[in-house]
Amino acid sequence: MLVIDDHPVVIDGVRQLLANEPDLTLVGEAMTGADGVELAKSLAPDVVILDLKLGDNFAPHLCRSLTDVSSHSRILIHTAFDDREPLRACLNAGAVGVVLKDGSNLVDALRKVLAGELFVDPSLVEDPHTRAVSLGKNGGFYESLTLREYEVLCVMALGLTSKEIATELHLAENTVRSYIQSLLTKLHARNRIEALATARQLRLL
């Protein structure tokens, strides 16, 4: 197992929890997305326990990077909140599970994803399977963002221009402008500032 989290207390908690599980071995720890990707590349862990909110790194983008460097690693999102759009984007980007940070279901989640199953923390919904399907496809909480729209939103939140976003996501600048216009429409915003404010109110960022 590789854990990527920017809170030392969380890493320490995962370390202590897995110390009692002889069949689950923690092979690496990272506090940044870049370090986590490098460790995943060198260690090729069976499971990556990835913090949903990791500083200026966004989990859906990291899911893709982790999959690129270690295709067999299964990604389990570790979160303190039910942030629906980011979670849906992570599952669309390759994550196979979502577990809350209270620690009560982490061991079960790890065993489930190791067995090839999709895991969504039971605390999030009454019916985890139904929630997993809705998160992984078209969430019905409002007009859902596409994965690309969400990625553009995340990079836009860093203050990048359309040209810089295009470079970061390997897209044409006109394509980025189209995504931004779609974001403004879906978030009922007149400009980027309003769109980001609304996104934060909705806990998309």
Side-chain angles (χ1 to χ4, degrees):
M1 313 294 157
L2 166 65
V3 59
I4 306 174
D5 198 296
D6 56 0
H7 295 90
V9 66
V10 174
I11 293 179
D12 186 57
V14 172
R15 187 190 306 119
Q16 292 184 34
L17 190 65
L18 296 189
N20 298 318
E21 307 295 332
D23 60 323
L24 301 173
T25 303
L26 188 62
V27 297
E29 305 168 3
M31 294 185 64
T32 69
D35 288 346
V37 170
E38 285 303 310
L39 281 178
K41 184 177 181 180
S42 62
L43 299 173
D46 292 325
V47 178
V48 177
I49 304 168
L50 176 63
D51 187 7
L52 180 65
K53 301 289 180 70
L54 194 68
D56 288 338
N57 290 281
F58 295 96
H61 183 67
L62 284 174
C63 285
R64 288 187 167 185
S65 298
L66 289 165
T67 300
D68 286 344
V69 300
S70 183
S71 59
H72 90 281
S73 295
R74 302 178 66 77
I75 302 169
L76 178 65
I77 301 300
H78 205 202
T79 180
F81 304 102
D82 180 8
D83 294 334
R84 298 184 179 187
E85 196 71 24
L87 293 175
R88 186 179 71 87
C90 287
L91 290 170
N92 281 337
V96 296
V98 178
V99 66
L100 291 180
K101 284 188 173 182
D102 61 9
S104 60
N105 292 304
L106 180 57
V107 170
D108 186 38
L110 289 169
R111 292 201 170 106
K112 288 285 179 63
V113 299
L114 280 169
E117 299 179 36
L118 175 66
F119 181 91
V120 174
D121 199 299
S123 301
L124 297 176
V125 284
E126 289 186 13
D127 182 354
H129 178 72
T130 299
R131 176 53 179 281
V133 172
S134 68
L135 281 172
K137 295 183 179 178
N138 297 312
F141 25 90
Y142 58 89
E143 188 177 1
S144 297
L145 308 184
T146 66
L147 178 57
R148 269 303 192 189
E149 287 169 346
Y150 181 72
E151 288 181 325
V152 170
L153 177 68
C154 289
V155 180
M156 189 169 72
L158 301 177
L160 274 61
T161 65
S162 295
K163 184 176 182 180
E164 290 169 334
I165 293 172
T167 299
E168 175 69 20
L169 298 180
H170 306 291
L171 297 171
E173 190 172 349
N174 285 339
T175 302
V176 168
R177 291 198 179 100
S178 295
Y179 281 130
I180 292 174
Q181 186 56 53
S182 179
L183 284 168
L184 296 183
T185 299
K186 290 184 176 183
L187 295 173
H188 307 289
R190 291 171 296 181
N191 52 50
R192 292 189 184 197
I193 294 174
E194 285 190 6
L196 291 172
T198 299
R200 290 190 175 97
Q201 289 175 355
L202 294 171
R203 283 180 27 193
L204 304 187
L205 296 169

